[in-house]
Amino acid sequence: MLFKKKLLSSEDEERLIKAIHDAENKTSGEIRVHIEATCKGDALEACKKLFADLKMDQTKDRNGILFFLAIESRAFAVWGDEGIHKKVTDEFWELITECAISYFKHHDLIGGLEKSVEMCGEKLQLYFPLEHDDKDELSNEISY
Ligand code: CA
Ligand code: CA
């Protein structure tokens, strides 16, 4: 039997948490990253389900964004809550996905996630600037 190996190194995990932290420093929006080894079925459906499981649909302004990556299945998806989804078009999510995949093609998983988090942070900042009493409504830790 295979031992359960860590999906991300500590360094990679720290890079991603820092990217989330930096993005959230500009916006009231909340970003999370979820990593799996494999994904059966549709990545977007998995991402939507996780979004609810992680209670990401319970933020004040409904402006959470979840990134989902199944490393071995090479499956990626991003899901934004209705607050942010109303502001951006589908093209925005497509752009994020294309950008991430272009990094993944060069085997740069962390770079792709980092860049996507940064792009979402900038977009969130436009519509949901940081408030003086901002709360970190959702943990910045990576979920597995
Ligand atoms: Ca916040
Ligand atoms: Ca957060």
Side-chain angles (χ1 to χ4, degrees), residues 20 24 29-32 135-140:
I20 296 169
E24 289 191 5
E30 295 288 331
I31 297 175
R32 291 206 71 171
K135 287 186 189 69
D136 188 25
E137 294 179 278
L138 299 168
S139 166
N140 298 349

Side-chain angles (χ1 to χ4, degrees), residues 98-113:
E98 275 166 29
C99 170
I101 288 170
S102 71
Y103 277 76
F104 299 162
K105 280 187 180 147
H106 294 94
H107 308 287
D108 188 1
L109 296 179
I110 303 303
L113 288 170

Side-chain angles (χ1 to χ4, degrees), residues 116-134:
S116 320
V117 166
E118 187 190 321
M119 286 166 73
C120 281
E122 282 166 8
K123 201 62 152 180
L124 282 167
Q125 182 184 20
L126 281 180
Y127 303 110
F128 302 97
L130 191 70
E131 294 162 354
H132 66 280
D133 59 348
D134 182 70

